[in-house]
Amino acid sequence: METDAALSILTALAHPTRLSTFRLLVQHEPEGLSTGQLVESSGLSQSTFSTHLAVLVKAGLVVPEKRGRQQIQRVNIDALRSLMLFLAKDCCGGRADLCEPLLAELVWC
C-alpha cells in the first residue's frame, strides 16, 4: 500500500459515524448489511448517512453489492489487511518479539 492510499483510508475513518459504520460492517462480514440497516443504526437521515457511506466507498473500504432490491454494503477485507500491514510493516524496528503481543491479539480475527 502506498502512503497516499493509507492516508485516504485513515482520513475516511477519522469521523465517528464512518468509523462506527466500518466497525459494524466488519462485525457482519461476510454477509454485510443493507444500507437501510446502516442508516437505522446510525440514527442519521438517509441523505446525511449516504454522504458518509460515499466517503467509505471512495476510500475503498466498503463495497456495495446489489442483492435483489437491496443494496448490501460489505467491508473490503483486502483494504483493511493492506492498511494493517502498512501500519505494522516496520513494527518495532524489525524486532519480531516486540510485535508478538500485537499479532497474538489479531489471531482471533
Side-chain angles (χ1 to χ4, degrees), residues 20-34:
S20 64
T21 298
F22 181 76
R23 293 184 73 206
L24 182 61
L25 286 171
V26 168
Q27 293 170 15
H28 286 86
E29 189 61 27
E31 302 86 19
L33 291 170
S34 71

Side-chain angles (χ1 to χ4, degrees), residues 2-109:
E2 298 293 323
T3 300
D4 287 345
L7 288 172
S8 175
I9 289 172
L10 292 169
T11 299
L13 294 174
H15 186 280
T17 297
R18 294 191 295 264
L19 181 59
S20 64
T21 298
F22 181 76
R23 293 184 73 206
L24 182 61
L25 286 171
V26 168
Q27 293 170 15
H28 286 86
E29 189 61 27
E31 302 86 19
L33 291 170
S34 71
T35 304
Q37 290 171 305
L38 292 171
V39 170
E40 187 177 315
S41 73
S42 75
L44 300 173
S45 69
Q46 173 77 38
S47 61
T48 301
F49 182 80
S50 291
T51 301
H52 289 295
L53 183 59
V55 172
L56 293 171
V57 170
K58 184 177 181 185
L61 287 168
V62 174
V63 178
E65 290 180 6
K66 183 85 168 155
R67 288 191 201 153
R69 295 176 147 186
Q70 290 190 325
Q71 191 77 3
I72 302 298
Q73 307 298 329
R74 292 192 54 224
V75 167
N76 180 349
I77 292 294
D78 289 335
L80 175 59
R81 182 182 304 114
S82 294
L83 178 64
M84 293 172 71
L85 289 172
F86 174 83
L87 293 173
K89 183 177 179 183
D90 301 317
C91 182
C92 305
R95 291 193 49 206
D97 59 311
L98 295 176
C99 289
E100 286 177 13
L102 170 65
L103 297 174
E105 286 190 48
L106 291 175
V107 169
W108 63 266
C109 294

